[in-house]
């Protein structure tokens, strides 16, 4: 099966880094003495909430669109997203002079819908619990000829997302801290963790890549444990960026070989990290972006992560409605 798939390599991540340089932000790495002392490990937080469009998705979107032929660009693009990939594709399309149609769930955060429209995306809504966004996309694609950009199961999207891990590992090493021992990454469709795993394997060979899902949506965990892709019903979780039903076949092939394990955390644990980021690190983070730190804390508490380990945590984004944010912390 894997022989038939166009799998990305670290060289593709390197190429993506060159393509997005000067377009995407090289987001900061943040640390917290309080967090280090609390957990007994060294934590390095990659803040993609400071990325253009407020999330890591812009990287993969721009990289993927940059590989389209002139004819494909003229026909425009179409994609499916609950919000962050939508914004990334909409902005990338505008920057590259293309038209973009975005299929979004009716209950997508208003902030993400408005931002997607603001970047010039043509938004079409669907019911994520009763309709198939893939079927809707195929119908529109057949009528318009638009090129479909998968939200995660795509060689160039994965490579673009891998630049997040590449930058973090480089910054940790350049800062004199040595290589990472662990890298905690949120898992929705699994494009981010797949790309980061490629970077970790090359730049920090001993690093264990740990994926973190919401407890209600553990399809990636089930898939790795069973050795085959498991599809679930749309999970009910505050982590809207991880409300996926299944991972992709391309990402699955990478994860099987390069991801140590997948763990899950509860929505209550995500709210705890939401509060921690806001109160202690002054970071405005969306619930999905809290998965990595919640996962790290879980494994520290269980004794699985040894003291003084170097632990990277990816904050995937900060696109959360202020009213919703206050409700969660209220």
């Amino acid at each position: 099966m894997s022989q038939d798939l166009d799998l990305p390599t670290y060289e593709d991540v390197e190429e993506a880094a060159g393509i997005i340089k000067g377009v995407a932000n090289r987001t900061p790495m943040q640390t917290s003495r309080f967090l280090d002392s609390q957990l007994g490990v060294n934590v390095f937080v990659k803040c993609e909430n400071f990325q253009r469009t407020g999330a890591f998705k812009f990287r993969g979107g721009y990289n993927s669109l940059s590989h389209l032929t002139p004819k494909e660009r003229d026909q425009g693009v179409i994609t499916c997203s609950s919000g962050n990939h939508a914004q990334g594709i909409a902005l990338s399309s505008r920057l590259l002079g293309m038209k973009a149609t975005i299929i979004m769930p009716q209950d997508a955060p208003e902030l993400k819908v408005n931002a997607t429209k603001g970047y010039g995306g043509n938004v079409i809504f669907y019911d994520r619990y009763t309709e198939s966004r893939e079927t809707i996309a195929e119908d529109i694609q057949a009528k318009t000829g638009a090129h479909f950009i998968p939200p995660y199961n795509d060689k160039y999207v994965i490579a673009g997302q891998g630049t997040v891990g590449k930058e973090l590992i480089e910054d940790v090493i350049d800062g004199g801290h040595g290589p990472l021992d662990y890298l905690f990454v949120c898992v929705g469709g699994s494009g981010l963790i797949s790309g980061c795993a490629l970077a970790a394997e090359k730049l920090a060979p001993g690093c264990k890549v740990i994926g973190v899902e919401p407890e209600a949506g553990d399809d990636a965990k089930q898939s790795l444990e069973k050795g085959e892709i498991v599809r679930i019903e749309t999970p009910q979780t505050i982590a809207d960026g991880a409300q996926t039903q299944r991972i992709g076949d391309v990402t699955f092939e990478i994860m099987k070989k390069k991801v140590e394990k997948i763990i899950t955390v509860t929505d209550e644990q995500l709210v705890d990290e939401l509060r921690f980021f806001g109160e202690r690190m002054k970071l405005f983070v969306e619930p999905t972006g809290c998965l990595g730190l919640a996962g790290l804390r879980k494994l520290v508490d269980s004794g699985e992560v040894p003291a003084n380990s170097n632990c990277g945590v990816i904050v995937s984004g900060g696109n959360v409605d202020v009213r919703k944010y206050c409700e969660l912390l209220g």
Side-chain angles (χ1 to χ4, degrees), residues 279-321:
E279 292 181 350
R280 287 289 180 170
M281 297 188 71
K282 316 308 174 189
L283 295 175
F284 191 72
V285 180
E286 62 185 272
T288 307
C290 296
L291 283 165
L293 183 55
L296 169 59
R297 196 181 298 274
K298 180 176 181 177
L299 292 196
V300 166
D301 290 345
S302 70
E304 187 169 332
V305 174
N308 300 314
S309 296
N310 283 346
C311 302
V313 169
I314 306 294
V315 168
S316 57
N319 291 321
V320 57
D321 182 83

Side-chain angles (χ1 to χ4, degrees), residues 188-204:
S190 66
L192 177 61
I193 192 171
S194 297
C196 287
L198 292 173
E201 181 183 54
K202 179 68 174 182
L203 303 176

Side-chain angles (χ1 to χ4, degrees), residues 4 17 44 50-51 63 66 77 86-87 89 99 105 126 132 139 147 149 162-163 176 189 233 247 258 266 275 283 285:
D4 299 325
F44 305 94
F50 293 123
Q51 187 53 261
N63 185 53
S66 295
V77 295
Q87 294 174 75
I89 292 298
K99 294 181 179 179
Y126 78 104
S132 167
D139 290 342
H147 186 78
I149 304 293
T163 61
E233 295 299 317
I247 58 178
K258 307 181 191 304
T266 66
R275 180 173 287 105
L283 295 175
V285 180

